[in-house]
Structures are given as structure tokens and as C-alpha cells.
Amino acid sequence: MKLNEDNYYSQEANKAYFSVSQYKDFCKCEAMAMAKIRGEYEQPVTKSMLIGTLVDRWFEGTLDKLRVESPNIFFCRNGALRADFRKASQIIERIKQDYRFMQYMSGEKQRILTFEMFGAPWKMKMDSFSEKICITDLKVVWNFKSLAFWRYDLQGAVYREGCYLNGYGYLPFYLAAVTKENVPNFDIFQIENQILDAALNEIAVKMPRFIEVKAGLREPECCGVCDYCKSIKKARLRFYSELLED
Ligand SMILES: [Zn+2]
């Protein structure tokens, strides 16, 4: 299956390829990951995620296209941005004045690559790709600490390896991060190679099982606590004292 911007996020593409977000789904809950692949479960989109989408689309230069695609989510009848999303324009106004931030985001936008890694086909899509120079991913987060919480080292590891396997060499991986704080903070974080190496090893260890689960050769495990697991659970009889344990 050949990927392009129209089918990249399709169910068919998610069946055919692993991606960083699918790998993370498998780590969280195999049952949820499989339900997503079968098209039976979708993660609800939050307002907070949509702020990131707006900033992404501005960088891509496709904000006008978004206005046509989903007029009611982001914009009022008069075409102005809804109040919920004014944070996005505040962020854009701020970062576009910053030379370094814009420079790191100035590569080719939304470049798609596919490759074989750890015995499975993978897909990836880069926010900004400067051939022979670097890979940069844009992150709109609550604060800088959340960068580590979301494990962007896993993304960096896959992207660095994906570029290498496509013949682009080992490129440095950067996060162009901007916060949703009252006054947005922003910086460029390089994820060091030894951190990416460790993340890639972690993926290598877990992939054999995930490949088998995805192929239907093993039963997916339910985590029991995620929204998907709650949506398919049956009531259990429990003891009140369980709630008194720390
Ligand atoms: Zn679960």
C-alpha cells in the first residue's frame, strides 16, 4: 500500500503499518490498540488537542483548507476563530517572531516515509524535514515537563531510524516545543542520541509480541483501566475495603 496525505491516517494504512502512536497504543493497552485497528474504537478529540492541530495546520500552510473542511469546529459564522482556540493564534503570533523557532520548522512539511523495522512495516510523517540537516517535530504542550511525560523519545527514535533506513543518514531529532501557559514559553529541545538509542532498544524488545498480537496469533491483553476497557467491561462484585487500601 502506497501512502499519501489522503490515506495516511486511514484504517487500511493502520492495518498495514505500525506507527509511533500505534506502538504507544499497544504499550498502553493491546485490546484498545486492536479495537482502533479494527475501526471499533476512536479516541475522543479534546479541545486541547485541537489547539495543537491549528498550530500544525498554520505551519503546513493549510489553515484555509481547514476552514473549508471543518467550518464549525474552529470558526464562528463570521469566519473568526472561536474563543476556545484563541490560544492557538496567540501561540502562532508569538513563535513567528522568533527566528530560531521558525528556522527549525522551515523544512519540508508532513513528509511521509515508510520502512521495515524489527520485522514489521512502519509509517511516519514528519512535521519538518530538512534533508541532511535535521528532523523537527512541533509540540504544543501544557509545559515543558509534559514533553518527557508523553515519551517523545520514542517518536524521535523511530523517526531517526526511519530516515536512516530510507538513506538519509542519522539526523538529529528536535522538538520545537511551545506551551499553552498564559504567556507561551517556547524552545527547541534536541533529544540526545543516547536517549534515542535507549528508546529504540525498548521498542525492539516489545515489537515481537505486538507483531504477533496485530497478526491475530496471540490474544490481546486488556489493561482493565482505559476508556476502551471500561466501555466493554462487565460489572464485578467487589469488597468495599479495597477502596480503603492506599
Ligand atoms: Zn485497556
Side-chain angles (χ1 to χ4, degrees), residues 4-5 30 34 53 82 90 93 109 115 131 135 148 156 173 177 192 201 211 216 218 227 231 233:
N4 54 47
E5 67 168 295
E30 293 173 358
M34 290 303 289
T53 305
R82 286 187 187 281
Q90 188 198 354
E93 287 312 312
K109 303 293 183 301
F115 48 97
E131 208 179 316
I135 311 158
F173 179 79
E192 297 94 317
N201 282 334
I211 290 171
R218 273 170 183 257
D227 286 348
S231 76
K233 74 176 272 180

Side-chain angles (χ1 to χ4, degrees), residues 97-125:
Q97 298 164 17
D98 190 85
Y99 178 76
R100 178 171 277 142
F101 199 99
M102 295 305 286
Q103 196 187 26
Y104 275 84
M105 283 300 298
S106 66
E108 188 187 342
K109 303 293 183 301
Q110 305 303 326
R111 172 68 178 274
I112 294 168
L113 293 180
T114 57
F115 48 97
E116 277 298 303
M117 182 171 75
F118 307 135
W122 286 73
K123 60 173 177 151
M124 61 184 250
K125 196 177 186 195

